[in-house]
Amino acid sequence: MALMTQIRDNLTTLFAVLAVFFIILIVFDWGMDYTGMRGRGQANAEVLGMINGQEVSYREFSERLRREVEAQRERSKIELDEETERQLRSQVWNSLVDETLLGQEIDRLGIAVTDEEIIDVVKGPNPPEFLIQRFRDSSGTFHREEYLQAIMAPDNKQAMVQVEEIVRQQLKRQKLQSLLLASVHVTEGEVRQRFLDRNIS
């Protein structure tokens, strides 16, 4: 009983000490970020997710989503509903996952594309469709001379840097796909068994 009386008598002092410690904590942590906890929280808020150990920032995801939403509005000419926006978010995230995993595998295998390979694709007999679509007339005829003048024009240098990166990534993926297909080997027995499984009951 004496202990309870002593605690009750010292309760005011205890609350005063706790209040002082709380004020000190507010000044050092919230004001001066002495413990460094605020900075870590803000840095983590910038990370949206992890894909196979690689961070994806909220800024990168939201920028891609914004571009996709704008493109969808241009195509449909109507305001997007909530379900369509949800599907677009899912598509953008899935494309980020695919790009990241493919990029990691390409790096792991050391697949590279030279500048000469890119020039061969851009100036070759069959340039990428996304490049030549603006140089087709209403009948579908491709005007090659106008195309070559446009890609060589100094005004288009910045756009061609972006084209180069797109073509480089496409070629890397094609090389990865070719490598995977070359490594697949099906034996005659596997073909025979597959035929029997599908055709004999």
Side-chain angles (χ1 to χ4, degrees), residues 70-86:
E70 286 177 4
Q72 184 70 20
R73 282 185 184 138
E74 283 292 317
R75 288 190 294 266
S76 62
K77 304 293 184 196
I78 57 170
E79 196 60 34
L80 305 182
D81 61 5
E82 191 175 318
E83 178 61 22
T84 306
E85 288 191 10
R86 188 191 64 75

Side-chain angles (χ1 to χ4, degrees), residues 129-161:
E129 184 60 33
F130 77 92
L131 276 179
I132 65 174
Q133 60 188 355
R134 294 185 181 182
F135 300 94
R136 291 187 190 278
D137 59 21
S138 57
S139 66
T141 305
F142 171 50
H143 299 281
R144 187 171 185 79
E145 287 304 316
E146 292 177 21
Y147 166 74
L148 291 174
Q149 287 175 2
I151 64 173
M152 299 302 291
D155 295 346
N156 296 330
K157 184 176 182 179
Q158 188 59 39
M160 289 310 295
V161 169

Side-chain angles (χ1 to χ4, degrees), residues 51-54 96-112 169 171-181 183:
I51 302 173
N52 204 25
Q54 185 171 325
L96 268 170
V97 170
D98 290 346
E99 285 177 26
T100 303
L101 295 178
L102 284 172
Q104 288 178 350
E105 190 62 16
I106 286 167
D107 291 343
R108 188 184 72 80
L109 294 171
I111 296 172
Q169 295 306 318
L171 289 176
K172 283 182 178 180
R173 289 181 185 185
Q174 288 173 8
K175 286 185 175 186
L176 176 63
Q177 187 176 17
S178 299
L179 189 65
L180 292 174
L181 290 173
S183 66

Side-chain angles (χ1 to χ4, degrees), residues 3-179:
L3 180 62
M4 292 299 287
T5 306
Q6 187 178 2
I7 290 174
R8 196 176 306 121
D9 292 342
N10 293 329
L11 202 54
T12 307
T13 309
L14 179 64
F15 279 134
V17 170
L18 287 175
V20 169
F21 278 127
F22 183 69
I23 291 170
I24 291 172
L25 176 67
I26 289 173
V27 169
F28 278 99
D29 192 39
W30 296 357
M32 298 187 319
D33 194 21
Y34 184 73
T35 61
M37 296 298 284
R38 274 180 67 195
R40 278 204 301 256
Q42 289 169 347
N44 288 339
E46 195 58 31
V47 176
L48 180 66
M50 300 280 282
I51 302 173
N52 204 25
Q54 185 171 325
E55 292 181 350
V56 177
S57 71
Y58 178 79
R59 181 178 295 133
E60 178 185 4
F61 177 78
S62 59
E63 178 59 27
R64 284 185 181 226
L65 181 60
R66 183 191 62 76
R67 288 196 307 262
E68 192 60 38
V69 166
E70 286 177 4
Q72 184 70 20
R73 282 185 184 138
E74 283 292 317
R75 288 190 294 266
S76 62
K77 304 293 184 196
I78 57 170
E79 196 60 34
L80 305 182
D81 61 5
E82 191 175 318
E83 178 61 22
T84 306
E85 288 191 10
R86 188 191 64 75
Q87 289 174 356
L88 286 176
R89 279 194 298 274
S90 181
Q91 287 173 13
V92 169
W93 178 256
N94 289 337
S95 70
L96 268 170
V97 170
D98 290 346
E99 285 177 26
T100 303
L101 295 178
L102 284 172
Q104 288 178 350
E105 190 62 16
I106 286 167
D107 291 343
R108 188 184 72 80
L109 294 171
I111 296 172
V113 173
T114 64
D115 292 342
E116 289 75 20
E117 289 175 299
I118 294 172
I119 291 169
D120 288 344
V121 169
V122 173
K123 292 186 177 179
N126 298 310
E129 184 60 33
F130 77 92
L131 276 179
I132 65 174
Q133 60 188 355
R134 294 185 181 182
F135 300 94
R136 291 187 190 278
D137 59 21
S138 57
S139 66
T141 305
F142 171 50
H143 299 281
R144 187 171 185 79
E145 287 304 316
E146 292 177 21
Y147 166 74
L148 291 174
Q149 287 175 2
I151 64 173
M152 299 302 291
D155 295 346
N156 296 330
K157 184 176 182 179
Q158 188 59 39
M160 289 310 295
V161 169
Q162 294 174 351
V163 166
E164 178 184 337
E165 186 55 33
I166 292 169
V167 172
R168 187 180 303 277
Q169 295 306 318
Q170 287 178 345
L171 289 176
K172 283 182 178 180
R173 289 181 185 185
Q174 288 173 8
K175 286 185 175 186
L176 176 63
Q177 187 176 17
S178 299
L179 189 65

